[in-house]
Amino acid sequence: MTTETPKGARVIFERPELLADRSTHYCPGCGHGVVHRLIAEVLGDLGLGARTIAVAPVGCAVFAYDYIGVDFVEAPHGRAPAVATGIRRVRPDAFVLTYQGDGDLAAIGTAEIIHAAGRGELLTAVFVNNGIYGMTGGQMAPTTLLGQRSTSSPGGREAAFHGYPIPMTEMLAIMPGVAYAARGSVVDAAAIGRTKQYLRRACEIQLEGRGFAIVEVISNCPVGWGMTPTESIERLRDVVAKEYRPGVIVDRTREA
Amino acid sequence: MTTETPKGARVIFERPELLADRSTHYCPGCGHGVVHRLIAEVLGDLGLGARTIAVAPVGCAVFAYDYIGVDFVEAPHGRAPAVATGIRRVRPDAFVLTYQGDGDLAAIGTAEIIHAAGRGELLTAVFVNNGIYGMTGGQMAPTTLLGQRSTSSPGGREAAFHGYPIPMTEMLAIMPGVAYAARGSVVDAAAIGRTKQYLRRACEIQLEGRGFAIVEVISNCPVGWGMTPTESIERLRDVVAKEYRPGVIVDRTREA
Amino acid sequence: MERSVIFAGFGGQGLLFAGQVLARAAMDSDREVLWIPTYGPEMRGGTAACTVIVGDVPIGSPVVDAAWAAVVLNPPSLAKFAPLVAPGGTLVVNATLIEAGSGRDDLDELRVPCTRLAREAGDDRLVSVAALGALVGRTGIVGPDAITAALRAILGRKHPEALEADLAVFEGGLAFGRAVLATATP
Amino acid sequence: MERSVIFAGFGGQGLLFAGQVLARAAMDSDREVLWIPTYGPEMRGGTAACTVIVGDVPIGSPVVDAAWAAVVLNPPSLAKFAPLVAPGGTLVVNATLIEAGSGRDDLDELRVPCTRLAREAGDDRLVSVAALGALVGRTGIVGPDAITAALRAILGRKHPEALEADLAVFEGGLAFGRAVLATATP
Amino acid sequence: MTITTLPPTPLHHGHRVLMKGNEAMAEAAIRAGCDAYFGYPITPQAELLEWMARRMPEEGRPFIQAESELGAINMALGAAATGARVLVSSSSPGISLMAEAMSYMAGAEIPMVLVNVMRGGPGLGGIGPGQADYFQATKGHGHGDYRVPVLAPSSIGEAMALMADAFELAEKYRTPVFILADGTLGQAMEPVELTFREPPRLGADWAVTGAGGRPPRVVKSMHLAPEDLELHNRHLQAKFAEITAREVRWAGENLDGAELVIVAYGTAARVARTAISRAREDALQVGLFRPISLWPFPSAALAEVAARARGVLVVEMSAGQMVEDVRLAIEGRQPVAFEGRTGGMVPTPGEVLDALRRLRGATGADDAASAKETRA
Amino acid sequence: MTITTLPPTPLHHGHRVLMKGNEAMAEAAIRAGCDAYFGYPITPQAELLEWMARRMPEEGRPFIQAESELGAINMALGAAATGARVLVSSSSPGISLMAEAMSYMAGAEIPMVLVNVMRGGPGLGGIGPGQADYFQATKGHGHGDYRVPVLAPSSIGEAMALMADAFELAEKYRTPVFILADGTLGQAMEPVELTFREPPRLGADWAVTGAGGRPPRVVKSMHLAPEDLELHNRHLQAKFAEITAREVRWAGENLDGAELVIVAYGTAARVARTAISRAREDALQVGLFRPISLWPFPSAALAEVAARARGVLVVEMSAGQMVEDVRLAIEGRQPVAFEGRTGGMVPTPGEVLDALRRLRGATGADDAASAKETRA
Amino acid sequence: MIAVAEGSLALPGAELPAPAGPAPETWIPLHIATDRCKACALCIGACAHGALALDETCVNALGYHPIRLVDPAACTSCALCARVCPDCVLTVFAAPKATRGAAR
Amino acid sequence: MIAVAEGSLALPGAELPAPAGPAPETWIPLHIATDRCKACALCIGACAHGALALDETCVNALGYHPIRLVDPAACTSCALCARVCPDCVLTVFAAPKATRGAAR
Ligand SMILES: Cc1ncc(C[n+]2csc(CCOP(=O)(O)OP(=O)(O)O)c2C)c(N)n1
Ligand SMILES: Cc1ncc(C[n+]2csc(CCOP(=O)(O)OP(=O)(O)O)c2C)c(N)n1
Ligand code: SF4
Ligand code: SF4
Ligand code: SF4
Ligand code: SF4
Ligand code: SF4
Ligand code: SF4
Ligand SMILES: [Mg+2]
Ligand SMILES: [Mg+2]
């Protein structure tokens, strides 16, 4: 359904052109929807829609290609950075973006993200960290916090038994091939605004040919967390954001 | 052939008991031989031979089980940390040691080493970094230095084309599950002595149940580097050790 | 003789639960039974469904060419499953959310205000339990006591707090299903 | 008719190279040829070997039941390959490193001080070239000129500096092989 | 969409309870003495992993949700190399990632049980039930010359029983064993009699346990010298021959006097059963030949059964894979027809009944032809 | 043990040069217009990767030594999804790691050529030549219902020619294609006539290139609704049927009046050829049936050829894998015997000759029996 | 067959009925794609003016009680609601000069 | 068959001939597992006293000119050579009191 502007009125906010006007399969309150919108806004603002080739993960966001109006390749679980590398190398003039969840990027896809970053591939990587395996029913992810319950850590995550949460973006940030690494969140409109700025910068860096850029977005999974959307946002703000602190982690384009 | 001590003479240095008295398949001057001896010495000194289950890599050192006299499992290429994790969990009283090359650990095995370390598995990992794929004929490894020639980077490694060398041990060191990470070398007798101390400490940490411990040993591959053994040791000292600096990288058992 | 019942509606309407209650009741009535969901990835708002097959010998095929009965709780489910009910079969329609009818005249079609009954009992999820009550009241696929016993067995341990409401809603649906039967008689 | 030659010795003795020179010479003499190494993981000091099969029609099997000739440059190779030479076949033995003989009396066995000839020419690696010379001188499997041409073609581009030594060593081996032939005649 | 078996544990031996297939298999493994479980989430087997996540710690046994299927299967390789009884489970795409390690375990003769709750493929495909990984499980999964026993349950109760048998086979022959289930079996609930069995421990005189008091042991698959590797392969082939001779399993229903025979396994066999009972209504005598061991395939038994019938119908939830083993067993002596659905669809009894009618109608020749078509 | 083809590049079209198989395949791919190469080192195919490492940059085309075979095959998936002509190569263990991605590419219909320079297995096995990945390449590598064309060269020259054909097939049918070589072919040097061919570019109206000026495209293998996934599978099966009808390749030698027929591919076929010429010496007329496309397998042609002979001998560097396809083609009408070596060993002409003599000696019945034994 | 006439609740189709409260001709700063609303209520929390609420009186095509602008006059068109909405249900307009005054 | 008698060099088998230089009865601080030496020469570089050299006069079972202690008197038994040897070829002894003096 398209919305025509009431006569005389100014549009303050509307759906970005690259975001499909349709209902998503995401659960109520799921942060993927917000991140999708931000990507659509940034690609639109930078006029990249026509030359973007995006890579969808295996995760709830596998259907990103149904909502964001650019060319997409569906990668096997965790392999998006390798798939994107292949695209990057044969399509020098394409804008290449990857979208991955935390299970996809920080578990099965660990080797691929680290080596794409290590090679300094000109890619913009979006990493939606909701600390859980959403699509498969709320199992523990490498990013799940200590003490957090999941369907595969029913008693809560214990360091001694399940291991520690993995600070993936911080690890990536120490590699010289990584030009930019930042962490945003979807806790409120202000945080969402900052996240958009990070995403924009991560895209510009690819356009400038500066190197690999990644934006982690800490997000919510109300269903996987067993909470209402509102409760999940509160937890994201009060608990998750304390462990995974938002901000720019490294920006080698600013360094001397 | 066994050596009986001339009467009245004191033994200053002899082959450790756990090291087989046989010729190895390694090329002349190859550092693997030194690392094998150090492991045999440390396991012997700590009296661990009888309870050690070691995991051999796929690489020139796949035959470690022919030279070091302990139980061994041969892991698929890069999977030693996963294989060792399985052993660790079902054999709480075993001493579990992994031995990997840089292609094995830092390339195909990236995900396995990172997650074993992230879980803080009680393992002692030996990482022999010779900056090349020795066994397969001297191809580039993730640790190959910029400018270094190899059979798969014939013009020398270029950051823009081949990517940057990966500081694997430094990346591992930022994870809380890693109790100890150090880097030794085989450049000379003194360095070899320090490397032995690192290995000993990495073993003690497992015995103390403190967490995951890794010792990277920068080593030479005369054949893969296309040099004489002596030249390769000089390069190791003058070039490699400048990039991969030996020393203790993290010791969380010393932290407050 | 095998009797298959399809439960379909919104993900949040408690269909899988209702199907399990029926399955448990059938088992405890010494019948053979199979419960199978149409499982999918985590998507709320989508249509969920499960099938329960009750019989005297171990259940063979988990899929049916035509269902003996269907319980449809939202419009998409009516459209999708009404055609799959065998002639002479029973169709329980959640009249609260569904205005349309199946358009079939070879079915025993019940319009039951399930959502309202459930909401009145204070829990949307119980909409399926109301429908289950109507189905049981109408068809006697299992005895009502078997259902209440199953509810006690399942909820008694995990959610005793919820038990009473479930029982009440079931009774309501049951009475509704029987009432319809009565009006049908003459 | 197919003629197969096995070259075997220490990894450092240049066997694969000598085999390639023979293969290249055969190709340039318009023969069909196949060169196949017994490839292994990087291990120095081990025994390396390659087989060259020369024929008039495209080569079929890359493996031979029995070799037409063998060039063995170290003791382990003698032990392993001498038995694989067909009766009446030729066996070139590096007398510098091998004291023993094959013990077979159905072979044309040449004892050639290959390592010495090579070392005298200043390069251990050329030990195989000396042996190749003897083989060619003895059997004429290809013409000497084809070998020298092959050496020029191969080394000329990559290692011109090495070419002269190789040619000299080959000639030495060739003369040796021919001399033997002479003594054999009467 | 986790629906948990009710009532929750403890599950007493002998009781009749309603259990979900995935959870029943998991509990059966625990009761069969599974010492360690390694897995990675994937639909439609996630509940198996989740059940283990809760129960293994209760039993004081290791459970690890690995970083990937590669991690899981290699953890299993290590744990099993010490002689432990190890279970791994996944579904189609995850199983594909285990090909290399399965080849290693077959080569190193490491016992282990791997459950594949098959879904629709190829690729990411879908999450509906499927049987399209038959070729993979019985033939070409990993590289090299090896086979592993493949057991295919067709009910939840049978799945529980086969779990114990699988461990027993694995340890008896020192080999990985596949349990090939499908999404329907994993997701459905059926009443099951809880009859658990823990196979005896044979004692692994080959396992790595620390060399104390004996010469060191090595569990490996590498034999660098071709001569040695060939010897090892001869040994493996001899073992496979022994398994083929001894461990064939199948079940038959209404085979006496059957005019036609349906060959089907797992969920497809259940559909066939219903179709067969309906066929009886229109006087068509059909028997069911249900392979339980897909490798070793019951070729001899099938050849004998088929010899007494006029035709064979293979029913699979695939485009036709087991049909090749059926044709290898029958070698053209009877017509072989095929009926299958793919991509998560399950054939209905009605469809199978129609296929039976077509097969009866057709002459042997036609059928042979049509059978060929199904392979085209 | 890198021995590089002499002389080094440039290699002029039309020249006759001595080339190493691995390097010849690599150069042939470059001349066939390969836009990108992704690989990972492994013996015995390392020289293919090394050749590409030197030559692709010379041509200004991408070369990546990936972090693993998983990385390589998924880079290939991405590059090929844009319509680029992509080559990947590896050897047995590495190929096993590519199973999931191959299934994805078959499902998403992404053209790509994958070379497997087979070695001895299972597991780490050894590095000698092997043919034990036949099942994997032709049947069960990845999960789900799919097949990919498999081309098997038996000489270095043929390997070069098939490289261009492989790209053509891949793009014509939008499918991954396997080139199944072995360590002998990869490591040997033979004189080859340099006759390169670059297949025409068909234009990929499905590829992702940036949506500029057209609706966005998605290259994917997921179809969540079983109904949709089944439709997609029907489409794939129709494509496989078309390939089976159109793309069968095989070569015959001395088949007229042949008393016995040897079925062998790749290196084994060369050994067979030598054995056959020797057989003629003792008045045994033997023909060679050499499948070049292992899938689609030349079943019809073989059935016809076999019908004119007294028996068939299958020779493989494996414990017997292709022999199943041979038996499926012949369906018991002629005796099928098997001769094979494993673990890196290559059968010698003498051994094959003995097997021929045994087959001639045996009666049809005996042979059928012995053939069965080979499958036990 | 038996049709039991039951007074079932009035149901919207995919279209949300004209919102109650302000009459149609009055200015509405928000456009709500009711059929896409999943009732997550995040927008409600984002609105500093309590202008939004879920409409319990109806169920949309997805089965949810959709969001409703219950107090248009309180709305400042700040668009915080729209920015946090995961389903991009809301379009926000600034009042034309004229009406803006009127709304106060 | 033809046996061409060629004055070939004297060859050791797997055993190294008694080292030249000091007579057998004199004290030798190093035991050398000659058959395992790969002539990498790393020990030579490690020896501060130039006491070691490769023996060009023979080839061991592996095909190398093995290491030899050419100047036993110079050897201080510091074992640096042994510690850098990748093949654990060397065993080092400290001279018994008596001989130690003598060696000086
Ligand atoms: C090889 C393979 N393993 C496992 C799966 C099952 N699977 C689908 S999505 C997923 C993880 C989802 O978690 P995450 O990446 O965090 O995405 P989210 O759904 O949380 O956004 C898994 C394990 C798969 N499809 N393929
Ligand atoms: C799955 C797989 N891929 C590739 C190989 C081939 N391979 C054997 S060893 C090796 C790497 C060796 O390099 P490294 O780990 O650095 O050990 P090194 O030999 O240098 O000590 C590779 C790629 C293999 N055996 N298995
Ligand atoms: S499961 Fe979690 S991540 Fe997936 S759609 Fe639902 S809320 Fe979002
Ligand atoms: S190749 Fe390199 S690493 Fe391997 S044995 Fe030789 S020197 Fe050592
Ligand atoms: S625009 Fe601002 S004031 Fe208006 S409803 Fe949204 S959040 Fe509330
Ligand atoms: S945030 Fe969006 S989806 Fe959620 S209630 Fe508000 S309008 Fe509806
Ligand atoms: S270091 Fe060891 S191997 Fe090398 S030369 Fe000295 S003794 Fe020989
Ligand atoms: S022990 Fe010391 S002094 Fe003696 S040879 Fe060795 S390094 Fe030289
Ligand atoms: Mg997640
Ligand atoms: Mg290395």
Side-chain angles (χ1 to χ4, degrees), chain A residues 33-117:
Chain A
V34 174
V35 179
H36 281 23
R37 191 190 80 228
L38 295 180
I39 290 170
E41 287 174 355
V42 169
L43 293 181
D45 297 349
L46 296 174
L48 294 172
R51 46 186 281 221
T52 296
I53 302 177
V55 182
V58 172
C60 285
V62 63
F63 294 108
Y65 44 67
D66 288 338
Y67 311 126
I68 303 174
V70 300
D71 276 7
F72 260 97
V73 177
E74 178 185 78
H77 189 31
R79 318 305 174 192
V83 170
T85 296
I87 297 168
R88 163 82 294 147
R89 296 296 182 109
V90 294
R91 288 273 164 184
D93 46 12
F95 180 82
V96 186
L97 177 131
T98 59
Y99 189 114
Q100 298 185 265
D102 48 330
D104 198 65
L105 181 144
I108 193 169
T110 304
E112 288 72 21
I113 191 69
I114 283 180
H115 286 274

Side-chain angles (χ1 to χ4, degrees), chain D residues 39-120:
Chain D
Y39 56 95
E42 292 298 318
M43 296 193 207
R44 295 298 170 276
T47 286
C50 70
T51 302
V52 176
I53 307 177
V54 179
D56 307 319
V57 297
I59 307 307
S61 176
V63 293
V64 294
D65 290 288
W68 180 79
V71 174
V72 295
L73 303 182
N74 69 356
S77 306
L78 175 75
K80 184 167 181 196
F81 295 104
L84 301 186
V85 180
T90 304
L91 179 66
V92 175
V93 178
N94 177 6
T96 320
L97 297 190
I98 308 171
E99 282 174 331
S102 72
R104 289 182 57 174
D105 55 13
D106 59 348
L107 299 181
D108 178 20
E109 183 166 341
L110 281 72
R111 293 186 55 75
V112 186
C114 308
T115 305
R116 193 185 54 189
L117 290 176
R119 180 130 19 90
E120 283 165 4

Side-chain angles (χ1 to χ4, degrees), chain A residues 32 60 101-104 128-135 139 141 143 221:
Chain A
H32 278 302
C60 285
D102 48 330
D104 198 65
V128 178
N129 175 4
N130 56 15
I132 200 97
Y133 282 33
M135 187 179 220
Q139 296 85 5
T143 50
C221 174

Side-chain angles (χ1 to χ4, degrees), chain H residues 30 47 49 51-52 69 75-81 92:
Chain H
L30 284 192
C47 180
H49 307 281
L52 298 163
L69 179 62
C75 176
T76 64
S77 298
C78 69
L80 292 179
C81 54
V92 184

Side-chain angles (χ1 to χ4, degrees), chain D residues 2 16-17 20 23-24 27 30-37 39-42 59-65 154 157-158, chain F residues 1 3 6-8 16-18 44 127-129 183-184 187-191 267 270-271 274 278 346-350:
Chain D
E2 277 185 9
L16 303 182
F17 173 76
Q20 284 202 320
R24 175 67 187 265
M27 177 180 82
D30 297 322
R31 312 290 308 281
E32 292 293 340
V33 65
L34 178 114
W35 171 94
I36 172 94
Y39 56 95
E42 292 298 318
I59 307 307
S61 176
V63 293
V64 294
D65 290 288
I154 295 171
R157 181 167 308 170
K158 292 181 128 186
Chain F
M1 51 135 287
I3 283 283
L6 314 165
R16 186 163 188 258
V17 300
L18 197 62
I127 58 176
T184 301
Q187 294 298 323
M189 295 179 88
E190 282 185 302
T267 295
R270 299 176 66 131
V271 176
T274 300
R278 286 220 221 135
V346 178
T348 66

Side-chain angles (χ1 to χ4, degrees), chain F residues 36-250:
Chain F
Y37 172 89
F38 305 100
Y40 189 75
I42 184 168
T43 309
Q45 68 86 53
E47 301 84 358
L48 202 167
L49 173 138
E50 291 164 1
W51 188 269
M52 286 302 204
R54 189 173 85 249
R55 292 277 294 119
M56 290 297 273
E58 283 175 10
E59 300 286 331
R61 306 180 200 171
F63 158 92
I64 296 184
Q65 178 183 314
E67 59 272 17
S68 71
E69 289 86 356
L70 279 165
I73 195 70
N74 283 292
M75 289 173 190
L77 186 156
T82 71
R85 197 165 275 180
V86 179
L87 181 74
V88 173
S89 66
S90 186
S91 178
S92 308
I95 297 292
S96 286
L97 287 170
M98 300 177 177
E100 185 203 22
M102 282 293 278
S103 177
Y104 268 73
M105 279 188 267
E109 302 189 81
I110 300 174
M112 193 256 336
V113 176
L114 174 58
V115 176
N116 180 358
V117 182
M118 295 183 281
R119 60 191 242 179
L124 187 50
I127 58 176
Q131 293 185 321
D133 304 347
Y134 178 97
F135 276 148
Q136 186 184 59
T138 60
K139 298 189 162 63
H141 191 203
H143 58 286
D145 280 302
Y146 77 92
R147 300 275 187 134
V148 301
V150 181
L151 302 179
S154 80
S155 75
I156 295 172
E158 187 178 31
M160 295 179 83
L162 288 180
M163 186 60 70
D165 298 358
F167 281 119
E168 199 162 30
L169 271 178
E171 290 164 16
K172 180 173 173 196
Y173 295 101
R174 284 189 58 185
T175 175
V177 173
F178 254 120
I179 289 185
L180 212 53
D182 65 66
T184 301
L185 219 57
Q187 294 298 323
M189 295 179 88
E190 282 185 302
V192 287
E193 304 290 344
L194 297 181
T195 53
F196 300 115
R197 184 173 77 86
E198 174 163 359
R201 305 267 171 178
L202 303 177
D205 59 6
W206 50 268
V208 291
T209 55
R214 57 157 173 79
R217 293 173 180 163
V218 179
V219 173
K220 61 166 188 165
S221 63
M222 182 175 219
H223 301 272
L224 198 59
E227 295 77 5
D228 301 345
L229 186 54
E230 181 168 56
L231 271 179
H232 180 59
N233 268 281
R234 290 226 183 89
H235 158 70
L236 292 177
Q237 290 298 323
K239 178 170 79 174
F240 301 152
E242 186 185 349
I243 295 172
T244 304
R246 296 215 192 140
E247 306 295 346
V248 167
R249 295 161 183 242
W250 61 282

Side-chain angles (χ1 to χ4, degrees), chain B residues 19-106:
Chain B
L19 191 68
D21 183 0
R22 57 182 289 192
S23 169
T24 71
H25 70 289
Y26 298 114
C27 307
C30 175
H32 278 303
V34 174
V35 178
H36 281 23
R37 191 191 80 227
L38 295 180
I39 289 171
E41 288 174 355
V42 170
L43 293 181
D45 297 351
L46 296 174
L48 293 172
R51 46 187 282 223
T52 296
I53 302 177
V55 182
V58 173
C60 284
V62 62
F63 294 108
Y65 45 67
D66 288 339
Y67 311 127
I68 302 173
V70 300
D71 276 7
F72 260 95
V73 177
E74 177 186 79
H77 188 30
R79 318 304 174 193
V83 169
T85 295
I87 297 168
R88 162 81 297 146
R89 296 295 181 108
V90 295
R91 289 273 162 183
D93 47 11
F95 179 82
V96 185
L97 177 132
T98 59
Y99 189 113
Q100 297 185 265
D102 47 329
D104 198 65
L105 181 143

